[in-house]
Amino acid sequence: MTRPTTIRPARTSTRPWQSRYALLLLVADVVAVFIAVYGIQGLWVGLHQTEVAGSPLSYELFSAVLGLAWVGALTLFNTRAPRVVGYGAIEYRLVISASLHLFGLVAIANYLADTELSRGYFLLTLPLGTALVVGGRLLCRWWLRAERRRGRMSARVLLVGDRDECARAISELERQPGSGLRVVGTHVTDVGDSDGEWSETDTRRLRDSLATVDADTVLVSGGAALGAHQIRRIGWSLEPGRQHLVVAVDLVDVAGPRMHTRPVAGLPLVHVETPRYSHRQFLLKRGMDIIGAGVILLLLSPVLATVAALVRLSGPGPILYRQRRIGQGGVPFDMVKFRSMVDGADARLGALLEAQGRADQPLFKVADDPRITPVGRILRKYSLDELPQLWNVLCGQMSLVGPRPQREAEVAFYDDAARRRLIVRPGMSGLWQVSGRSALSWDDAIRLDLFYVENWSLVGDIQILARTFKAVLSPGDSAH
């Protein structure tokens, strides 16, 4: 049934990282909550023994009870569960949900008991405390991801599947160490054995592999030649509470919110929602674009003026450079950037691509481009040359987040699947920028753009914008 297992050296057993990280989150929650409740109390009603009208409790005691209840609500809503923390937005949604439920109960209790709790104290504590808890979780997550990049604080995964599928899964997981899944071994299955039984010998080999590499998670790849009964037997062979079974659904580029698991007639059915773009979603995205671009333009106006002066001093040619790009629905528009190349650079593009053997490739990128000015290299390094595109965003030709805007000649390479990226407006930033920028291949760039189009969400846009700040501050050329 199985081929020999590829393994990595086992680790020295220590206290589970999940417990240590949960304790860190608990400390962060306690600090955030009590700063909020006592901070608002001190600012609004004072820290002296002021009684809550209609209640025997003082505000000092009420703040203590509220703080403990808040920490308890975060525990009851499983906001520190290992399957929740460290990846994705579900952790933050649970934190917000726990906070809203708690304060709803407090409001109801206040009304039924006919007490006169200060409205200012009540209304200010909820948003401040929630923001502090989420902020503390963000700091903890940044620390966790740094630890995971060092190979620590991650689930130790034993992959089960055919050789090609295991290699693909390893490649994807190694590209995203922040996911918290570190492959320490592979248990390769023979192709064509899906009708066979998972024998006691297979179970013994799997247990030996788990013990050898000290793995705590078995990940069955989506392409594994295993039936439902065989996967169930793998689950039976694991140690309850310490070892976990994860089955990868053979659906690529489908985000979690579009997938819902529901058991029907004993069958674990996975419902995949068809991508839809409602008027409400378009309005939300457009509203964020207008407000965000307007605020950024106002805040960075001194930077824009400084960059414009530097471009003027860099050599002859206009300050702003306009280039025809293809927008939503295939409609062309003029994308605006600060000029980062010498005047007349476009006329030299064809000869440079031909000289480097890239004339027939979709991405028109020139290695060590000699047309870029010294000032332009600095602008590109920090993506300052792209700031004028905020005007394109205000005009409705682009979005703050979206697929990479491409030239007409690049769009000519599109197949039917790639043309789906034209459903939405192109963006100043996107998954293509925060996941590798200009180092991405054509296929990877298209795959990321299609993933964005198929799985768009407002929360996702906010996360991409947050990651963009880190991406533009790191060395490297931006994706032009």
Side-chain angles (χ1 to χ4, degrees):
M1 179 66 194
T2 59
R3 296 174 183 168
T5 302
T6 304
I7 59 174
R8 294 183 183 179
R11 64 178 175 180
T12 302
S13 296
T14 58
R15 183 183 180 187
W17 70 266
Q18 295 93 335
S19 300
R20 290 181 281 127
Y21 187 65
L23 180 60
L24 175 64
L25 291 180
L26 175 61
V27 173
D29 290 344
V30 170
V31 172
V33 164
F34 280 90
I35 286 178
V37 293
Y38 281 108
I40 294 300
Q41 180 194 332
L43 292 174
W44 198 260
V45 297
L47 292 176
H48 53 283
Q49 294 285 342
T50 302
E51 290 188 354
V52 179
S55 169
L57 298 177
S58 66
Y59 271 100
E60 187 176 37
L61 182 58
F62 180 82
S63 293
V65 173
L66 178 61
L68 291 174
W70 203 338
V71 174
L74 294 173
T75 302
L76 289 176
F77 275 72
N78 291 321
T79 64
R80 307 182 198 97
R83 294 177 180 83
V84 169
V85 298
Y87 197 83
I90 186 172
E91 175 184 356
Y92 305 125
R93 288 200 295 267
L94 287 175
V95 166
I96 295 173
S97 180
S99 302
L100 290 176
H101 277 80
L102 172 67
F103 274 75
L105 290 175
V106 171
I108 293 173
N110 181 63
Y111 172 77
L112 294 177
D114 197 24
T115 58
E116 298 181 9
L117 181 67
S118 171
R119 295 179 180 177
Y121 168 81
F122 181 79
L123 294 176
L124 290 175
T125 302
L126 172 61
L128 176 63
T130 303
L132 287 176
V133 171
V134 171
R137 296 296 184 100
L138 281 170
L139 292 175
C140 291
R141 181 173 292 192
W142 288 339
W143 175 80
L144 177 63
R145 287 184 175 178
E147 289 293 291
R148 285 175 170 174
R149 284 193 291 269
R150 300 185 183 100
R152 301 192 288 264
M153 307 288 282
S154 297
R156 295 175 62 85
V157 175
L158 179 68
L159 275 175
V160 176
D162 63 67
R163 192 174 300 278
D164 291 340
E165 189 68 21
C166 285
R168 188 188 69 83
I170 291 173
S171 176
E172 291 295 327
L173 291 175
E174 287 181 346
R175 286 177 54 187
Q176 301 186 48
S179 65
L181 298 175
R182 182 178 176 225
V183 179
V184 294
T186 57
H187 202 70
V188 180
T189 58
D190 287 323
V191 178
D193 284 349
S194 58
D195 294 331
E197 288 293 326
W198 183 270
S199 65
E200 290 298 327
T201 301
D202 296 318
T203 299
R204 186 172 60 255
R205 288 175 178 172
L206 180 65
R207 287 175 175 170
D208 290 343
S209 300
L210 287 167
T212 302
V213 299
D214 195 17
D216 52 34
T217 302
V218 173
L219 173 57
V220 180
S221 64
L226 296 175
H229 179 65
Q230 295 165 318
I231 294 176
R232 184 164 63 248
R233 289 185 67 89
I234 292 176
W236 293 344
S237 67
L238 302 181
E239 181 181 335
R242 194 184 77 83
Q243 296 172 332
H244 309 281
L245 174 63
V246 179
V247 180
V249 180
D250 199 13
L251 292 172
V252 296
D253 295 338
V254 178
R258 287 177 55 204
M259 299 175 60
H260 306 279
T261 303
R262 185 178 64 177
V264 178
L267 300 175
L269 302 182
V270 178
H271 296 256
V272 182
E273 295 182 0
T274 303
R276 294 179 298 173
Y277 299 94
S278 65
H279 292 295
R280 180 182 64 85
Q281 288 175 315
F282 277 120
L283 289 175
L284 282 174
K285 186 171 179 62
R286 184 62 185 145
M288 187 180 77
D289 286 340
I290 294 174
I291 296 173
V295 170
I296 295 174
L297 277 173
L298 288 175
L299 293 177
L300 296 184
S301 54
V303 177
L304 291 168
T306 302
V307 172
L310 292 173
V311 173
R312 170 60 67 189
L313 296 174
S314 67
I319 295 176
L320 295 178
Y321 168 73
R322 290 175 171 82
Q323 187 177 70
R324 182 57 58 95
R325 297 289 177 107
I326 304 300
Q328 186 179 22
V331 177
F333 70 98
D334 289 330
M335 188 178 72
V336 185
K337 299 191 294 184
F338 281 123
R339 181 175 58 84
S340 60
M341 293 185 176
V342 297
D343 194 23
D346 282 346
R348 300 170 54 188
L349 176 61
L352 288 170
L353 290 174
E354 187 71 30
Q356 296 185 5
R358 302 188 177 200
D360 58 347
Q361 296 181 7
L363 287 175
F364 295 161
K365 299 293 294 182
V366 177
D368 298 323
D369 200 327
R371 302 171 299 165
I372 303 176
T373 65
V375 171
R377 294 190 184 280
I378 298 176
L379 298 183
R380 287 186 167 214
K381 180 178 180 180
Y382 298 103
S383 296
L384 296 175
D385 60 321
E386 299 182 12
L387 289 178
Q389 293 170 28
L390 291 166
W391 178 252
N392 291 117
V393 175
L394 288 177
C395 293
Q397 299 162 330
M398 293 181 64
S399 176
L400 291 175
V401 181
R404 179 181 182 271
Q406 292 185 315
R407 305 172 191 178
E408 186 174 359
E410 291 174 316
V411 174
F413 285 92
Y414 283 3
D415 55 16
D416 290 339
R419 287 192 176 275
R420 286 189 60 81
R421 69 195 302 280
L422 300 178
I423 292 177
V424 299
R425 293 186 181 95
M428 290 184 64
S429 181
L431 285 174
W432 46 271
Q433 188 180 49
V434 299
S435 301
R437 313 179 80 187
S438 60
L440 289 174
S441 67
W442 169 262
D443 290 337
D444 285 340
I446 292 296
R447 180 179 59 82
L448 288 174
D449 283 342
L450 290 180
F451 180 88
Y452 174 83
V453 172
E454 298 284 332
N455 303 286
W456 176 85
S457 69
L458 188 63
V459 173
D461 275 6
I462 294 173
Q463 290 177 331
I464 290 173
L465 287 174
R467 292 171 60 189
T468 299
F469 288 104
K470 179 180 178 180
V472 299
L473 291 176
S474 62
D477 293 334
S478 60
H480 285 63

